[in-house]
Amino acid sequence: MFLFLFSISFASTINVGPGETYTTIQEGIDAANPGDIVSVEAGTYLLTSTLSITKSITLQGAKAGVDPRTSNGLRTAGNSSETIIDGGGTLSTLIR
């Protein structure tokens, strides 16, 4: 008789933003398990320290999968419908 034990794990989505359980990107990253998706709502997130990612996760913004270029191929300026990570000009590295 053979007994096989295995587990199936599914990625969870961790939502980050105002009104969510996690309001900072780092809180969402810290709460995620390997393979999870950290989905950051639209808005500007001003960082005071470098984001630290030490596990295999997907970090995605509000416009994930949307090509930001206009029909003539130029990048449009960021707006309130996008997720913007802003180091405030003081951080040399935003994500490590």
Side-chain angles (χ1 to χ4, degrees):
M1 174 185 211
F2 293 98
L3 178 62
F4 293 97
L5 298 175
F6 63 93
S7 66
I8 299 175
S9 63
F10 297 96
S12 294
T13 298
I14 308 295
N15 294 308
V16 174
E20 297 291 344
T21 302
Y22 306 103
T23 57
T24 71
I25 298 171
Q26 190 64 61
E27 287 174 346
I29 292 168
D30 292 345
N33 291 309
D36 284 352
I37 299 166
V38 177
S39 179
V40 184
E41 290 184 7
T44 299
Y45 296 82
L46 183 60
L47 299 183
T48 57
S49 62
T50 299
L51 294 174
S52 177
I53 302 175
T54 59
K55 50 197 154 193
S56 177
I57 62 170
T58 299
L59 179 63
Q60 69 182 25
K63 294 283 191 167
V66 176
D67 190 337
R69 296 172 292 179
T70 59
S71 60
N72 61 4
L74 300 175
R75 170 73 169 84
T76 57
N79 62 45
S80 62
S81 69
E82 295 182 327
T83 301
I84 300 168
I85 299 174
D86 185 352
T90 60
L91 297 177
S92 61
T93 304
L94 295 179
I95 300 173
R96 172 180 35 158

